[in-house]
Amino acid sequence: MNDAVVSEEQLIQQLQWRYATKQFDAGKKIPAHLWQTLEDSLVLTPSSFGLQPWKFFVITDVPSREKLLQHSWGQRQVVDGSHLVVMAIKKDLGAADVDHYIEYIAEVRGVPVESLAGFSNQIKGFMNGPIDLTAWATRQVYIALGQFMLSAALLGVDTCPMEGFIPGQYDEILGLTPLGYSAVVLCPAGYRAATDKYATLPKVRYPKSDIVQHL
Amino acid sequence: MNDAVVSEEQLIQQLQWRYATKQFDAGKKIPAHLWQTLEDSLVLTPSSFGLQPWKFFVITDVPSREKLLQHSWGQRQVVDGSHLVVMAIKKDLGAADVDHYIEYIAEVRGVPVESLAGFSNQIKGFMNGPIDLTAWATRQVYIALGQFMLSAALLGVDTCPMEGFIPGQYDEILGLTPLGYSAVVLCPAGYRAATDKYATLPKVRYPKSDIVQHL
């Protein structure tokens, strides 16, 4: 059993503190070391089979982000956040991705590729089954989104999860398509503006008795 | 700007510590107060529009969980974890859910329902658009999954995300269907068994240079 690194109160306090930031302070940047840690947290995100069917594109350049604004329903978080993370799925997932992953496991763990044949077949069997791999990969990305927002909040960084954008335009403008990725959700990160009135609105969550049910 | 409640090192340490637990110590239970905090963290999960299209069913009773085992590919985490969380989407999402939500916002924030008409129409417009609401709600649940696994890890609790189960059987056995919910992913929580050899295997994550790309 590992020790807790936060108190129960601190965890809840940070979850209460966070909110979908509407106005970022465009002048306030996430320090470089802290940002590296947030990237490290993204890399450590769990995924089904551990396959990591994703890539996280980071954009800080303002003119590039201004180009995305019109494809983001004009939501300025895209530009005014310190960092914009475009969370993307790997397209056309298939046996080659599994082979690449299995080879990497063998390398990291110092075991023969052959010893992982069962696991490899399990993943490939799953992929050949009745599954929409695009939808499945997208769900995995949402694990990353959930983990990232909490990681940021724990470190005092604001975020805003954003589904309101046009993935096809993002893919084109950012050149994701030739890379084999497609944007599925955005998460600008930075620091809330003092003028963001949403920061102090009472958080709206249904009562626990409506959301958690013991069977 | 809020202060961080964990150090960068602690966050990464806990993400390294966590893993998809294969063997739980069936005798080790999550203390009641700690579990309440984890439930509170679930309630606080962010979702698109804040709509919370979900419910989290918690099962601790062993005989009930034994019944689920055969519909979980025999994965004993379902039974041996201290608590089993069945994460479910609300089915048949529609205008009634939006109205209910809007009324609740009005209540919590002490504003007239009419003042939220624009927001209400925005959500309803989205729902009437070209969107698969079941897939959308399922993605929201994965935000909860990602946040829950990290919340647990921060508090020294092990988890195992599980897609390998038969949702239809879960819905039937647990009686979710008449409640209007459908299971989409599982997350047993508890404490790793000392004998779980997976606990000490090196974690396999692609290099940051493969997973995070600056544009």
Side-chain angles (χ1 to χ4, degrees), chain A residues 160-186:
Chain A
C160 184
M162 289 179 57
E163 292 182 334
F165 70 104
I166 302 171
Q169 292 289 344
Y170 266 65
D171 292 350
E172 191 178 317
I173 291 170
L174 299 175
L176 305 191
T177 306
L179 295 174
Y181 292 87
S182 184
V184 295
V185 70
L186 311 179

Side-chain angles (χ1 to χ4, degrees), chain A residues 16-33:
Chain A
Q16 291 279 7
W17 171 78
R18 69 147 300 284
Y19 74 113
T21 302
K22 296 287 180 297
Q23 263 186 22
F24 284 97
D25 182 336
K28 234 165 162 179
K29 300 301 174 192
I30 299 171
H33 192 277

Side-chain angles (χ1 to χ4, degrees), chain B residues 150-164:
Chain B
L150 176 52
S151 294
L154 293 164
L155 297 173
V157 170
D158 285 302
T159 55
C160 183
M162 288 178 57
E163 293 183 334

Side-chain angles (χ1 to χ4, degrees), chain B residues 40-174:
Chain B
D40 291 338
S41 79
L42 281 171
V43 171
L44 285 164
T45 305
S47 55
S48 188
F49 301 117
L51 197 68
Q52 310 159 69
W54 52 46
K55 199 164 210 169
F56 306 105
F57 295 93
V58 177
I59 309 146
T60 51
D61 174 56
V62 169
S64 301
R65 292 191 280 165
E66 289 281 1
K67 276 186 229 158
L68 299 171
L69 191 57
Q70 63 172 303
H71 307 296
S72 317
W73 313 114
Q75 299 174 92
R76 290 216 47 97
Q77 297 98 308
V78 163
V79 181
D80 293 339
S82 168
H83 291 65
L84 172 62
V85 184
V86 178
M87 300 190 168
I89 52 167
K90 183 158 191 319
K91 292 191 300 182
D92 306 320
L93 285 172
D97 298 291
V98 180
D99 291 339
H100 176 63
Y101 174 51
I102 293 291
E103 282 158 26
Y104 190 64
I105 300 176
E107 185 189 323
V108 169
R109 294 191 170 160
V111 297
V113 166
E114 300 73 46
S115 72
L116 300 165
F119 186 45
S120 176
N121 289 333
Q122 187 193 352
I123 308 176
K124 288 176 181 172
F126 165 80
M127 283 184 161
N128 290 324
I131 181 91
D132 176 339
L133 288 175
T134 298
W136 175 78
T138 303
R139 291 194 290 272
Q140 308 306 315
V141 171
Y142 275 65
I143 297 176
L145 177 63
Q147 181 180 291
F148 180 74
M149 290 192 286
L150 176 52
S151 294
L154 293 164
L155 297 173
V157 170
D158 285 302
T159 55
C160 183
M162 288 178 57
E163 293 183 334
F165 69 104
I166 302 171
Q169 292 289 343
Y170 266 64
D171 292 350
E172 191 179 316
I173 291 170
L174 298 175

